[in-house]
Structures are given as structure tokens and as C-alpha cells.
Amino acid sequence: NAGVTQTPKFRVLKTGQSMTLLCAQDMNHEYMYWYRQDPGMGLRLIHYSVGEGTTAKGEVPDGYNVSRLKKQNFLLGLESAAPSQTSVYFCASSYSRPAGRTQYFGPGTRLLVL
Amino acid sequence: AQKVTQAQTEISVVEKEDVTLDCVYETRDTTYYLFWYKQPPSGELVFLIRRNSFDEQNEISGRYSWNFQKSTSSFNFTITASQVVDSAVYFCALSEGNTDKLIFGTGTRLQVFP
């Protein structure tokens, strides 16, 4: 099992460019999440999904969109990148049961917006 | 509102010292879950432990131990006989029983010197 994988590992964008981050999991998890990690702020939830075809906003959703067309994939899109979106992005996944299920994280994507 | 506080930003110890990382949480729910994750210099997030609010038993796993006290809303993490490989950022996180979202603390950077 590869677990949770993220593509790409590192990317540099210019302000206004768009890109999509891909998260894939092979653990048959129902729930998937996108977080961003900024220095001194821990991880903050951007969007999450409780199943194929569903998405919901987290704590910091502005400037991002997501899609979950397949159970194993969760895409994070930046339509018009801004320097404030420079961050490390982590994807995670978990089972839907039991409650309080453990989230398992991917290796992260470093994004630099110039 | 939920909140996780890790007041210690950075701790430095010499190898073989014991060290305790503090975590204080706030929640209105009676059912919730607490987690610790480790983020080594390589950047990935490694799950360490999950504890539910009904289980106040302390847990020991090798050199790691966790002290959960509902009376003080704390879930502290102790490393006994620290080693250089323990150098990492450690995150405490909270998940309420009726949601699947993790609220992270800002992390504690532990540096273990030989």
C-alpha cells in the first residue's frame, strides 16, 4: 500500500496562475481532507470530503476549490494563485467509522507563489 | 469553540533527558478525540496516538507516554530518555465527536542534542 500520495511535491507559480494539487489514497477511506501548514500556525483545514461527489468548507476555504469525482482522489485547485497561498499543503484521509477516526497524511506539497 | 494550545514553542534537551510536551484543549462537547502527530525534519506527519474522551487511562509505548487529564483539559506527552531521532515538531490535535475535522495546536519543536 502506498497510503496517501500527493502530486506534485514542489511547485513554483506566478501570481494569477492556476494549478491543481492531486491527492490519492489506496486505503479505501471514505473521508479526505486538505490542510495548509504555515509557520507558527500549525495545520488549518481548507476543505474536506465525506464521500465521492461531496465536498465541504473548512476553516480557510477562500481562494481554493476542490473536487472528489472518485473515492480515491481529492483535488485541490487554485484558480488564481496569490502570494498568501505560499504554504505546504497536506492531504489526509480516514475511515468514516468508528467516530474520531485517525487521519493519515500524505507527504505534503510545497507551493511557492511569486 | 474548539481550541488547542501548545504553549511551548521550542524545547531543547540533551540526549537521555526526559521531556514533556504540553497540550491544553478547549471544547464544549462531552465526546471528543485527541491526537498527537510527529513531524520530523523530512516533513511528513506521523500519527502517534489517539485517545477518546471516555478513556482517561494513561498510555505507554516504549519511551513514549501520554497523560490525559480531563479535569485540567490536558493531554501531555512525555519522552523518556530522549534520543536525537526524537528531534521533530510535535502537534497535538482535537476532533469533536460529531465532526471529522482536526483542530491542531501550533506545534512544539523539540531539539535533542547529542
Side-chain angles (χ1 to χ4, degrees), chain A residues 88-108:
Chain A
V88 181
Y89 292 86
F90 286 97
C91 176
S93 68
S94 67
Y95 289 113
S96 58
R97 293 287 183 273
R101 53 303 245 160
T102 299
Q103 295 183 20
Y104 294 94
F105 286 80

Side-chain angles (χ1 to χ4, degrees), chain B:
Chain B
Q2 300 176 82
K3 186 178 180 182
V4 176
T5 301
Q6 294 181 257
Q8 303 152 309
T9 304
E10 188 162 341
I11 301 174
S12 295
V13 299
V14 178
E15 217 172 11
K16 297 185 183 177
E17 284 186 32
D18 298 347
V19 57
T20 295
L21 309 182
D22 298 333
C23 174
V24 174
Y25 62 90
E26 295 176 30
T27 179
R28 293 180 181 175
D29 262 23
T30 56
T31 301
Y32 53 89
Y33 302 86
L34 295 162
F35 302 81
W36 276 94
Y37 285 86
K38 174 182 180 180
Q39 187 175 42
S42 51
E44 73 272 22
L45 282 155
V46 179
F47 165 72
L48 295 178
I49 190 170
R50 166 184 176 271
R51 174 68 72 222
N52 73 55
S53 54
F54 298 109
D55 183 2
E56 286 195 73
Q57 282 190 333
N58 292 332
E59 178 147 344
I60 298 175
S61 176
R63 296 184 296 108
Y64 295 173
S65 62
W66 291 268
N67 182 2
F68 177 31
Q69 292 196 338
K70 289 178 74 171
S71 60
T72 56
S73 297
S74 65
F75 187 41
N76 296 338
F77 173 31
T78 297
I79 301 175
T80 303
S82 59
Q83 299 177 2
V84 173
V85 293
D86 295 326
S87 297
V89 180
Y90 291 87
F91 290 98
C92 180
L94 166 69
S95 170
E96 287 185 336
N98 62 344
T99 72
D100 309 295
K101 295 168 282 188
L102 285 179
I103 302 297
F104 282 84
T106 52
T108 297
R109 179 178 299 278
L110 174 65
Q111 292 199 27
V112 182
F113 293 100

Side-chain angles (χ1 to χ4, degrees), chain A residues 9-84:
Chain A
K9 288 184 170 53
F10 177 69
R11 184 77 183 268
V12 178
L13 286 180
K14 293 181 180 178
T15 297
Q17 287 185 320
S18 63
M19 79 163 294
T20 300
L21 282 67
L22 170 64
C23 175
Q25 53 93 7
D26 61 2
M27 296 175 282
N28 203 32
H29 286 166
E30 291 84 7
Y31 293 179
M32 296 186 75
Y33 314 81
W34 276 108
Y35 294 87
R36 59 178 288 171
Q37 181 180 18
D38 301 296
M41 300 189 73
L43 280 81
R44 293 179 293 167
L45 183 66
I46 304 171
H47 285 281
Y48 66 104
S49 168
V50 298
E52 185 177 321
T54 73
T55 63
K57 294 180 180 179
E59 181 186 355
V60 288
D62 293 342
Y64 305 95
N65 56 75
V66 288
S67 64
R68 182 106 181 262
L69 299 180
K70 294 182 178 181
K71 184 177 183 180
Q72 64 269 32
N73 296 338
F74 194 29
L75 305 180
L76 177 70
L78 287 72
E79 290 187 348
S80 179
S84 61

